[in-house]
Amino acid sequence: MVMAGGLTQRFTVGKSRRTRLSAFYGEKDMYHTDDTDGTGTFGRVFLVQDKQNRSFYALKQMKIQDVIRLKQEQHVHNEKEVLSQVQHPFLIRLFWTHHDDHFLYMLMDFVCGGELFSYLRSRGRFSNCTGMFYSAEIVCAIEYLHSKNIVYRDLKPENILLDREGHIRLTDFGFAKKLSDRTWTLCGTPEYLAPEVIQSKGHGRAVDWWALGILVFEMLAGYPPFFDDNPFGIYQKILAGKLEFPRHLDFYVKDLIKKFLVIDRARRLGNMKNGADDVKRHRWFKTVDWDGVPLRRLKPPIIPKVSHDGDTSNFDVYPEDDWKKDAPVAQKDLDLFKTF
């Protein structure tokens, strides 16, 4: 394993601007820099370049002692398991994993267009048509994951990347999980949590449709429907379920959001007998060519400014944080990741 520095710039993927309940982020023959993110998470994501084929990738590097300290071992294994089983045009790809006596490594696509979050914040809010485009591609991504019994559990603008053509790629699968029935782990971002997660009733795929309802609202309004200065205030508003829409929202999108944000999972759009087909048939999506969506035939409303495949200008750059002085982890800790 040979690493050389100096040719590429550090970038972040899925860096949350919101409080996350259990956050972590994001070697082969690669170039990379030693710049790292010193913001207190237990992972970093670097831009790296393959010396042989000159392709660019994102290298997620996670500090083993922090993964263990924050009790994230299972989430790390879940992320690898899920990404190893999926292949879809709107999902990030995993190419390789490795570990040494300090770190876990995951080599993934570098998606150079940046986060949807950045575009949403710079514009304030999206138009009806722009929100519909991103929603349609996300519906197809969620439908695919659910067809494999995978729940994503962390849908939000920070985890949606744009490629250089403007199509989406979901990233950060740290909370994704393959389900046989339900799960009880409290994880996610407060503004996007479904009621059943907050109430610890056990949850399944329906949480992704709830989160899509929150996302559609946030994309078109410029803010999420339930927000407060602290998480508990957010939870109270989610459980109360009172929606107040901005006046400019389209009648049909308000109806769609209401049907996603139904407390009763059995009546939540996307989680009923016809699954994602009920979502696709909703009146708000009446102009969408659903056969063309996964083929990337829809015209993206935003084309990122990208000068070359390794362009990191659409991401924030973070200062260096030197991890190399830490002692190697004990063998008993390494054994927790022997299959990684």
Side-chain angles (χ1 to χ4, degrees):
M1 183 183 302
V2 180
M3 305 293 289
L7 297 187
T8 55
Q9 185 180 9
R10 164 60 171 88
F11 75 103
T12 64
V13 173
K15 177 69 183 174
S16 177
R17 271 68 162 179
R18 287 179 254 247
T19 302
R20 207 158 176 240
L21 297 183
S22 184
F24 68 91
Y25 294 102
E27 274 170 87
K28 212 168 173 175
D29 197 15
M30 298 277 170
Y31 294 113
H32 84 140
T33 64
D34 291 327
D35 296 337
T36 57
D37 174 2
T39 57
T41 60
F42 63 74
R44 308 289 184 262
V45 182
F46 298 91
L47 176 66
V48 296
Q49 186 178 23
D50 192 303
K51 288 182 177 179
Q52 295 180 344
N53 64 24
R54 314 301 294 176
S55 296
F56 290 95
Y57 301 92
L59 181 66
K60 184 171 181 175
Q61 178 178 333
M62 293 168 283
K63 197 172 181 178
I64 293 175
Q65 67 180 36
D66 286 347
V67 172
I68 295 171
R69 177 175 57 84
L70 296 169
K71 297 180 170 57
Q72 295 301 305
E73 301 96 324
Q74 192 56 56
H75 283 155
V76 168
H77 285 297
N78 287 347
E79 182 172 20
K80 178 190 176 182
E81 179 189 10
V82 166
L83 286 175
S84 299
Q85 295 178 14
V86 300
Q87 186 170 358
H88 190 274
F90 301 144
L91 303 179
I92 205 81
R93 288 178 298 173
L94 174 67
F95 298 104
W96 172 86
T97 62
H98 180 68
H99 76 273
D100 55 26
D101 55 7
H102 287 83
F103 302 105
L104 306 174
Y105 302 95
M106 300 178 74
L107 189 72
M108 297 175 286
D109 288 304
F110 171 53
V111 183
C112 57
E115 300 169 7
L116 187 66
F117 179 93
S118 300
Y119 297 96
L120 180 56
R121 287 297 173 265
S122 65
R123 295 182 176 214
R125 66 184 192 224
F126 291 151
S127 68
N128 194 62
C129 291
T130 297
M132 188 185 303
F133 170 86
Y134 296 124
S135 299
E137 293 199 336
I138 292 164
V139 166
C140 289
I142 292 174
E143 179 182 33
Y144 172 81
L145 289 172
H146 290 184
S147 74
K148 292 186 167 292
N149 295 319
I150 293 167
V151 58
Y152 179 52
R153 296 199 295 182
D154 208 11
L155 186 64
K156 58 182 177 180
E158 293 91 330
N159 287 343
I160 301 166
L161 303 179
L162 299 187
D163 65 22
R164 65 184 307 162
E165 287 81 34
H167 295 280
I168 72 150
R169 301 289 286 277
L170 294 188
T171 189
D172 201 341
F173 280 71
F175 290 154
K177 187 176 184 180
K178 188 148 190 174
L179 294 181
S180 55
D181 182 21
R182 286 184 290 174
T183 184
W184 280 261
T185 308
L186 175 62
C187 63
T189 299
E191 292 92 340
Y192 277 74
L193 290 184
E196 59 267 27
V197 179
I198 296 168
Q199 295 174 319
S200 299
K201 289 184 174 180
H203 61 272
R205 294 184 292 270
V207 301
D208 289 337
W209 297 116
W210 174 279
L212 181 55
I214 302 290
L215 178 64
V216 174
F217 187 108
E218 181 168 0
M219 286 194 294
L220 300 184
Y223 55 88
F226 310 112
F227 62 91
D228 195 86
D229 291 337
N230 67 78
F232 293 104
I234 295 171
Y235 301 155
Q236 288 177 329
K237 292 178 179 180
I238 290 171
L239 296 177
K242 184 180 179 182
L243 284 171
E244 295 183 3
F245 292 102
R247 291 183 179 180
H248 71 270
L249 256 60
D250 173 86
F251 171 82
Y252 289 120
V253 79
K254 287 192 285 188
D255 182 71
L256 176 71
I257 292 168
K258 287 177 185 175
K259 288 177 176 173
F260 279 140
L261 302 184
V262 171
I263 301 287
D264 183 356
R265 289 169 288 181
R267 295 172 47 245
R268 189 175 301 160
L269 191 69
N271 196 49
M272 296 183 285
K273 185 177 70 170
N274 296 318
D277 286 341
D278 287 335
V279 179
K280 294 177 177 180
R281 285 197 290 261
H282 190 275
R283 289 278 293 175
W284 190 55
F285 289 118
K286 63 181 181 294
T287 61
V288 172
D289 169 19
W290 285 107
D291 291 335
V293 175
L295 298 175
R296 297 160 54 93
R297 288 179 183 162
L298 271 63
K299 184 179 179 180
I302 298 172
I303 308 298
K305 293 179 181 178
V306 177
S307 62
H308 59 93
D309 288 344
D311 187 350
T312 63
S313 61
N314 291 304
F315 293 91
D316 295 330
V317 178
Y318 287 83
E320 182 174 345
D321 179 26
D322 189 1
W323 284 350
K324 295 182 174 62
K325 298 176 184 177
D326 293 333
V329 299
Q331 185 61 48
K332 65 179 179 60
D333 293 333
L334 277 181
D335 288 345
L336 296 173
F337 304 100
K338 59 187 177 184
T339 61
F340 197 87

